[in-house]
Amino acid sequence: MGLRQAWLTPMLGEIFADLQISEKWALLEKETRIDGYGFYSNFILAREEQIRSFPTLSKLTSLFISLYGFHSNRFVETTRKPASQYSKLLKNLSCLLEVSDSWTPVDGLHFNMRTIKTNTPIMERDTELSALLRKFAAKGANVSEDNEYDNWVGTITQDEVDSLGIKLTDGNHLYMHGTCTKVFAEIQIKADGQVHACACRDIDGNLVVGNLNQTKLKDILSFENAPYRELIESQMQGQFKKIAGHAHPIGVSMMDEHPLRTLICWS
């Protein structure tokens, strides 16, 4: 199939909420058909022993950490979670910073800030989190801030984020041309065996094209499989009804920018 990279990020949820995630890392480490794996996390539920085990995971090629507030109050306002979780985040990042003295994944450490809109970049702020990020950046980590947000297939309304100064984009009105590359390069395998044609935004299960408990993956991702073929053909004809609200449709002309990979959702 050519699927050599695995992503462990749940479509909805947090990887460290899975109490057996360390065992699953061990499984992938032994799997000869997998070259590497990575995941996104808000890094709050990670345990210290898990963070300190990263250098032993030779196939952990990239780590993306999503941040939701440049200080405690903004974290609470953005996430609607208690400040104690922000304190846990800082503790875990400090541990990761220590670990990164002797370890960095092949494809790097990546931090992305998603919070209330202001005119002061995160790297220029005088907060404990900003100080940590400056230290990570000095070691080569990538730090970015989101400036555009979508309405997650209509599940988020503008009034819910007005207080954050965020303007939502309605994905229904984005330009789409040709079949999205995620149909070819970034499929999702869920814990129940369902195979989704998109590992990004199929929260309602509209893009299910098969089930591994019934059919081999090579036969699911085949033009002989009617649901998969019909999805591709409909998008080539400009019909994107099943992904209305998708924020990032990527045309086939951009295929070279996206290596073939799959997302395994174990949680």
Side-chain angles (χ1 to χ4, degrees):
M1 288 297 299
L3 298 171
R4 307 291 297 182
Q5 296 287 326
W7 283 81
L8 306 178
T9 314
M11 185 167 291
L12 296 172
E14 163 60 40
I15 185 174
F16 287 105
D18 184 348
L19 299 181
Q20 283 78 48
I21 191 59
S22 295
E23 287 80 359
K24 289 160 185 174
W25 291 338
L27 177 65
L28 289 174
E29 289 288 326
K30 296 177 182 178
E31 177 53 66
T32 59
R33 292 168 294 182
I34 294 294
D35 293 335
Y37 57 91
F39 56 84
Y40 285 78
S41 170
N42 62 34
F43 219 57
I44 294 171
L45 294 179
R47 300 192 299 274
E48 181 177 348
E49 60 268 27
Q50 291 175 317
I51 300 172
R52 295 194 181 280
S53 75
F54 287 168
T56 69
L57 304 176
S58 62
K59 293 184 181 181
L60 177 55
T61 56
S62 57
L63 175 57
F64 290 76
I65 297 177
S66 303
L67 304 170
Y68 298 92
F70 40 79
H71 58 57
S72 181
N73 291 341
R74 293 307 187 197
F75 174 86
V76 172
E77 185 176 358
T78 304
T79 66
R80 302 173 188 174
K81 300 295 182 180
S84 59
Q85 291 196 8
Y86 183 77
S87 298
K88 183 65 163 58
L89 168 65
L90 294 179
K91 180 180 178 180
N92 284 343
L93 290 178
S94 296
C95 181
L96 180 62
L97 183 65
E98 182 181 334
V99 169
S100 67
D101 285 338
S102 58
W103 170 83
T104 301
V106 174
D107 294 329
L109 286 172
H110 304 264
F111 300 88
N112 180 246
M113 174 59 65
R114 307 167 184 181
T115 187
I116 189 168
K117 186 175 181 180
T118 71
N119 294 321
T120 305
I122 181 65
M123 299 293 278
E124 297 178 12
R125 290 189 170 275
D126 183 20
T127 69
E128 187 174 354
L129 177 59
S130 297
L132 284 168
L133 291 177
R134 285 191 287 269
K135 291 178 181 179
F136 277 113
K139 294 183 178 184
N142 176 267
V143 180
S144 62
E145 293 186 59
D146 268 350
N147 295 312
E148 297 183 1
Y149 301 85
D150 70 276
N151 59 4
W152 254 81
V153 201
T155 59
I156 303 172
T157 60
Q158 183 59 50
D159 63 289
E160 292 179 292
V161 297
D162 279 339
S163 64
L164 302 177
I166 291 173
K167 178 67 175 178
L168 292 180
T169 297
D170 186 347
N172 289 294
H173 304 305
L174 294 180
Y175 175 75
M176 292 177 277
H177 179 71
T179 304
C180 179
T181 60
K182 294 185 183 297
V183 174
F184 304 105
E186 297 182 35
I187 56 97
Q188 181 193 56
I189 302 171
K190 298 192 71 175
D192 60 2
Q194 280 192 345
V195 177
H196 293 238
C198 176
C200 179
R201 200 57 61 83
D202 185 20
I203 60 175
D204 295 324
N206 290 324
L207 302 180
V208 175
V209 291
N211 192 301
L212 285 185
N213 294 320
Q214 303 168 357
T215 312
K216 292 183 178 180
L217 186 60
K218 68 177 182 178
D219 295 323
I220 294 175
L221 303 181
S222 166
F223 265 50
E224 297 300 316
N225 177 24
Y228 186 66
R229 182 184 67 252
E230 290 168 3
L231 175 64
I232 294 172
E233 291 176 344
S234 65
Q235 292 191 6
M236 288 301 294
Q237 296 170 7
Q239 300 173 16
F240 294 91
K241 293 181 180 180
K242 285 190 175 183
I243 58 169
H246 194 302
H248 305 288
I250 305 169
V252 291
S253 62
M254 296 175 65
M255 189 68 175
D256 291 341
E257 300 178 17
H258 297 266
L260 193 60
R261 65 187 188 185
T262 187
L263 184 145
I264 304 172
C265 181
W266 267 317
S267 61

Coordinates of all heavy atoms in Angstrom, one line a residue, residues 51-96:
I51 N 7.1 11.2 28.9 CA 7.9 12.3 28.3 C 9.4 11.9 28.3 O 10.1 12.0 27.3 CB 7.7 13.6 29.0 CG1 6.3 14.1 28.9 CG2 8.7 14.7 28.4 CD1 6.0 15.3 29.8
R52 N 9.8 11.3 29.4 CA 11.2 10.9 29.5 C 11.5 9.7 28.7 O 12.7 9.3 28.5 CB 11.6 10.7 31.0 CG 11.5 12.0 31.8 CD 12.2 11.9 33.1 NE 12.1 13.1 33.9 CZ 12.8 14.2 33.7 NH1 13.8 14.2 32.8 NH2 12.7 15.3 34.4
S53 N 10.5 9.0 28.2 CA 10.7 7.8 27.4 C 10.9 8.2 25.9 O 11.3 7.3 25.1 CB 9.5 6.8 27.5 OG 8.4 7.3 26.8
F54 N 10.6 9.4 25.5 CA 10.7 9.8 24.1 C 12.0 9.4 23.5 O 12.1 9.0 22.3 CB 10.4 11.3 24.0 CG 9.0 11.7 24.2 CD1 8.6 13.0 24.3 CD2 8.0 10.7 24.2 CE1 7.3 13.4 24.5 CE2 6.7 11.1 24.4 CZ 6.3 12.4 24.5
P55 N 13.2 9.6 24.1 CA 14.5 9.3 23.5 C 14.6 7.8 23.1 O 15.4 7.5 22.3 CB 15.5 9.7 24.5 CG 14.8 10.8 25.3 CD 13.4 10.4 25.4
T56 N 13.8 7.0 23.8 CA 13.9 5.5 23.5 C 13.0 5.1 22.3 O 13.1 4.0 21.9 CB 13.5 4.7 24.7 OG1 12.1 4.9 25.0 CG2 14.3 5.1 25.9
L57 N 12.2 6.1 21.8 CA 11.3 5.8 20.7 C 11.9 6.2 19.4 O 11.8 7.3 19.0 CB 9.9 6.5 21.0 CG 9.2 6.2 22.3 CD1 8.0 7.0 22.5 CD2 8.9 4.7 22.4
S58 N 12.6 5.3 18.8 CA 13.4 5.6 17.6 C 12.5 6.0 16.4 O 13.0 6.7 15.5 CB 14.3 4.4 17.2 OG 13.5 3.3 16.9
K59 N 11.2 5.6 16.4 CA 10.4 5.8 15.3 C 9.4 7.0 15.5 O 8.6 7.4 14.6 CB 9.5 4.6 14.9 CG 10.3 3.5 14.4 CD 9.4 2.3 14.0 CE 10.2 1.1 13.4 NZ 9.3 0.0 13.0
L60 N 9.5 7.7 16.7 CA 8.8 8.9 16.9 C 9.4 10.0 16.2 O 10.4 10.6 16.7 CB 8.7 9.2 18.4 CG 8.0 10.4 18.9 CD1 6.5 10.5 18.3 CD2 8.0 10.6 20.4
T61 N 8.9 10.3 15.0 CA 9.6 11.2 14.1 C 9.2 12.7 14.2 O 9.9 13.6 13.8 CB 9.4 10.8 12.6 OG1 8.0 10.7 12.4 CG2 10.1 9.4 12.4
S62 N 8.0 12.9 14.8 CA 7.6 14.3 15.0 C 6.6 14.4 16.1 O 5.8 13.5 16.4 CB 7.0 14.9 13.7 OG 5.9 14.1 13.2
L63 N 6.6 15.6 16.7 CA 5.7 15.9 17.8 C 5.1 17.3 17.7 O 5.9 18.3 17.6 CB 6.4 15.7 19.2 CG 5.7 16.1 20.5 CD1 4.4 15.3 20.6 CD2 6.6 15.9 21.7
F64 N 3.8 17.4 17.6 CA 3.1 18.7 17.5 C 2.3 19.0 18.7 O 1.5 18.2 19.1 CB 2.2 18.7 16.3 CG 2.9 18.6 14.9 CD1 3.5 17.5 14.5 CD2 3.0 19.8 14.2 CE1 4.1 17.4 13.3 CE2 3.6 19.7 12.9 CZ 4.2 18.6 12.5
I65 N 2.6 20.1 19.4 CA 1.9 20.5 20.6 C 1.0 21.7 20.4 O 1.5 22.8 19.9 CB 2.9 20.7 21.7 CG1 3.7 19.4 22.0 CG2 2.2 21.2 23.0 CD1 4.7 19.5 23.1
S66 N -0.3 21.6 20.6 CA -1.2 22.7 20.5 C -1.3 23.4 21.8 O -1.6 22.8 22.9 CB -2.6 22.2 20.0 OG -2.5 21.4 18.8
L67 N -1.2 24.8 21.8 CA -1.3 25.6 23.0 C -2.5 26.5 22.9 O -2.7 27.1 21.9 CB 0.0 26.4 23.1 CG 1.3 25.6 23.1 CD1 2.5 26.5 22.9 CD2 1.4 24.7 24.3
Y68 N -3.1 26.7 24.1 CA -4.4 27.4 24.1 C -4.4 28.5 25.1 O -5.3 28.6 25.9 CB -5.5 26.4 24.3 CG -5.7 25.4 23.2 CD1 -5.1 24.2 23.3 CD2 -6.4 25.7 22.1 CE1 -5.2 23.2 22.3 CE2 -6.5 24.8 21.1 CZ -5.9 23.5 21.2 OH -6.0 22.6 20.2
G69 N -3.4 29.4 25.1 CA -3.4 30.5 26.1 C -1.9 30.8 26.5 O -1.2 30.0 26.8
F70 N -1.6 32.1 26.4 CA -0.2 32.5 26.7 C 0.0 32.8 28.1 O 1.1 32.9 28.6 CB 0.2 33.7 25.8 CG -0.9 34.8 25.7 CD1 -1.1 35.7 26.7 CD2 -1.6 34.9 24.5 CE1 -2.1 36.6 26.6 CE2 -2.6 35.8 24.4 CZ -2.9 36.7 25.4
H71 N -1.0 32.8 29.0 CA -0.9 32.7 30.4 C -2.2 32.1 31.0 O -3.1 31.8 30.2 CB -0.6 34.1 31.0 CG -1.6 35.2 30.7 ND1 -3.0 35.1 31.1 CD2 -1.5 36.4 30.1 CE1 -3.6 36.1 30.7 NE2 -2.7 37.0 30.1
S72 N -2.2 31.9 32.3 CA -3.2 31.2 32.9 C -4.6 31.7 32.6 O -5.5 30.9 32.3 CB -3.0 31.1 34.4 OG -4.0 30.4 35.1
N73 N -4.8 33.0 32.7 CA -6.2 33.5 32.5 C -6.7 33.3 31.1 O -7.8 33.0 30.8 CB -6.2 35.0 32.8 CG -6.1 35.3 34.3 OD1 -6.3 34.4 35.1 ND2 -5.7 36.5 34.7
R74 N -5.8 33.5 30.1 CA -6.1 33.3 28.7 C -6.4 31.8 28.4 O -7.2 31.5 27.6 CB -5.0 33.8 27.8 CG -4.9 35.3 27.8 CD -6.2 36.1 27.6 NE -6.0 37.5 27.4 CZ -6.9 38.4 27.5 NH1 -8.2 38.0 27.8 NH2 -6.7 39.7 27.4
F75 N -5.7 31.0 29.1 CA -5.9 29.5 28.9 C -7.3 29.2 29.4 O -8.1 28.5 28.6 CB -4.9 28.7 29.7 CG -5.1 27.3 29.7 CD1 -4.7 26.4 28.7 CD2 -5.9 26.7 30.8 CE1 -4.9 25.1 28.7 CE2 -6.1 25.3 30.8 CZ -5.6 24.5 29.8
V76 N -7.7 29.7 30.5 CA -9.0 29.4 31.0 C -10.1 30.0 30.1 O -11.1 29.3 29.8 CB -9.2 30.0 32.5 CG1 -10.6 29.9 32.9 CG2 -8.3 29.3 33.4
E77 N -9.9 31.2 29.6 CA -10.8 31.8 28.7 C -11.0 31.1 27.4 O -12.1 31.0 26.9 CB -10.4 33.3 28.5 CG -11.4 34.1 27.7 CD -11.0 35.5 27.5 OE1 -9.9 35.9 28.0 OE2 -11.7 36.3 26.8
T78 N -9.9 30.6 26.9 CA -9.9 29.9 25.6 C -10.5 28.5 25.7 O -11.3 28.1 24.9 CB -8.5 29.9 25.0 OG1 -8.0 31.2 24.9 CG2 -8.5 29.2 23.6
T79 N -10.0 27.8 26.7 CA -10.4 26.3 26.8 C -11.6 26.1 27.7 O -12.2 25.0 27.6 CB -9.2 25.5 27.3 OG1 -9.0 25.9 28.7 CG2 -8.0 25.8 26.5
R80 N -11.9 27.0 28.6 CA -13.0 26.8 29.6 C -12.6 25.7 30.5 O -13.5 24.9 31.0 CB -14.3 26.6 28.9 CG -14.7 27.8 28.0 CD -16.0 27.5 27.2 NE -16.2 28.5 26.2 CZ -17.2 28.5 25.3 NH1 -18.0 27.4 25.3 NH2 -17.4 29.5 24.4
K81 N -11.3 25.5 30.7 CA -10.8 24.5 31.6 C -10.1 25.1 32.8 O -9.7 26.3 32.7 CB -9.8 23.5 30.9 CG -10.4 22.8 29.7 CD -11.5 21.8 30.2 CE -12.0 21.0 29.0 NZ -13.0 20.1 29.4
P82 N -10.0 24.4 33.9 CA -9.4 25.1 35.1 C -7.9 25.4 34.9 O -7.2 24.8 34.1 CB -9.5 24.0 36.2 CG -9.6 22.7 35.5 CD -10.4 23.0 34.2
A83 N -7.4 26.4 35.7 CA -6.1 26.9 35.6 C -5.1 25.8 36.0 O -3.9 25.8 35.6 CB -5.9 28.1 36.5
S84 N -5.5 24.8 36.8 CA -4.6 23.7 37.2 C -4.1 23.0 36.0 O -3.0 22.4 36.0 CB -5.4 22.8 38.1 OG -6.5 22.2 37.5
Q85 N -4.9 22.9 34.9 CA -4.4 22.2 33.7 C -3.3 23.0 33.0 O -2.4 22.4 32.4 CB -5.6 22.0 32.7 CG -6.6 21.0 33.2 CD -7.5 20.5 32.1 OE1 -7.3 20.8 30.9 NE2 -8.5 19.7 32.5
Y86 N -3.4 24.3 33.1 CA -2.3 25.2 32.5 C -1.0 24.9 33.3 O 0.0 24.8 32.7 CB -2.7 26.6 32.6 CG -1.7 27.6 32.0 CD1 -1.6 27.7 30.6 CD2 -0.9 28.3 32.8 CE1 -0.7 28.6 30.0 CE2 0.0 29.2 32.2 CZ 0.1 29.3 30.8 OH 1.0 30.2 30.3
S87 N -1.1 24.8 34.6 CA 0.0 24.6 35.5 C 0.7 23.2 35.1 O 1.9 23.1 35.0 CB -0.3 24.6 36.9 OG -0.8 25.8 37.3
K88 N -0.2 22.2 34.8 CA 0.3 20.9 34.4 C 1.0 21.0 33.1 O 2.0 20.3 32.8 CB -0.9 19.9 34.3 CG -0.5 18.5 34.0 CD 0.4 17.9 35.1 CE 0.4 16.3 34.9 NZ 0.9 15.9 33.7
L89 N 0.5 21.8 32.2 CA 1.1 22.0 30.9 C 2.5 22.6 31.0 O 3.5 22.1 30.4 CB 0.3 22.9 30.0 CG 0.9 23.5 28.7 CD1 1.2 22.3 27.8 CD2 0.1 24.5 28.1
L90 N 2.7 23.6 31.8 CA 4.0 24.2 32.1 C 5.0 23.2 32.6 O 6.1 23.2 32.3 CB 3.8 25.4 33.0 CG 3.1 26.6 32.4 CD1 3.0 27.7 33.5 CD2 3.7 27.1 31.1
K91 N 4.5 22.4 33.6 CA 5.3 21.4 34.2 C 5.8 20.4 33.1 O 7.0 20.0 33.1 CB 4.6 20.6 35.3 CG 5.4 19.5 36.0 CD 4.5 18.9 37.1 CE 5.3 17.7 37.7 NZ 4.5 17.0 38.8
N92 N 4.9 19.9 32.2 CA 5.2 19.0 31.2 C 6.2 19.6 30.2 O 7.1 18.9 29.7 CB 4.0 18.4 30.5 CG 3.2 17.4 31.4 OD1 3.8 16.9 32.3 ND2 2.0 17.2 31.1
L93 N 6.0 20.8 29.8 CA 6.8 21.5 28.8 C 8.2 21.6 29.4 O 9.2 21.5 28.7 CB 6.3 22.8 28.4 CG 5.0 22.8 27.6 CD1 4.5 24.2 27.3 CD2 5.3 22.1 26.3
S94 N 8.3 21.9 30.7 CA 9.6 22.1 31.4 C 10.4 20.7 31.3 O 11.6 20.7 31.1 CB 9.5 22.5 32.8 OG 8.9 23.8 32.9
C95 N 9.6 19.6 31.5 CA 10.2 18.3 31.4 C 10.7 18.0 30.0 O 11.8 17.5 29.8 CB 9.2 17.3 31.9 SG 9.8 15.6 31.9
L96 N 9.9 18.3 29.0 CA 10.2 18.1 27.6 C 11.4 18.9 27.3 O 12.3 18.5 26.5 CB 9.0 18.5 26.7 CG 9.3 18.3 25.2 CD1 9.5 16.9 24.9 CD2 8.1 18.8 24.4

